[in-house]
Amino acid sequence: MRNTHKDKVPPEWIRKQTLVNAERYITEELKEYENKILGAEEKIIDLETRLFNDLVLTILEYIPPVQLDSVLVGRFRLPAVICCPFNRKQLCQTSP
């Protein structure tokens, strides 16, 4: 609001910022909304962290069996590739 109209500002408006030949105002309702928006990022980070930690705790019990499976698959896969020319040829081909 220009300084020339400063006297017309409603009393419930709160001065927020001084500009060149003007003032910027805000209402209590807008101030509360601004605080809600600014606090949302922190709440999002907290929620994401909590969800990630819950996910890690949920899958933690499955890690050892999956690791064991991968070791066993690796042991069985290598001899099959070496011993069988058909498998070796099939595995070496790249798809278009």
Side-chain angles (χ1 to χ4, degrees), residues 1 4-11 13:
M1 171 114 14
T4 54
H5 301 290
K6 212 183 210 181
D7 56 333
K8 298 174 187 172
V9 172
W13 287 15

Side-chain angles (χ1 to χ4, degrees), residues 55-81:
L55 175 65
V56 168
L57 291 174
T58 301
I59 66 170
L60 199 56
E61 65 181 286
Y62 299 103
I63 292 174
V66 169
Q67 288 175 332
L68 178 61
D69 289 347
S70 68
V71 167
L72 293 174
V73 167
R75 285 183 187 162
F76 292 123
R77 186 93 170 137
L78 185 61
V81 171

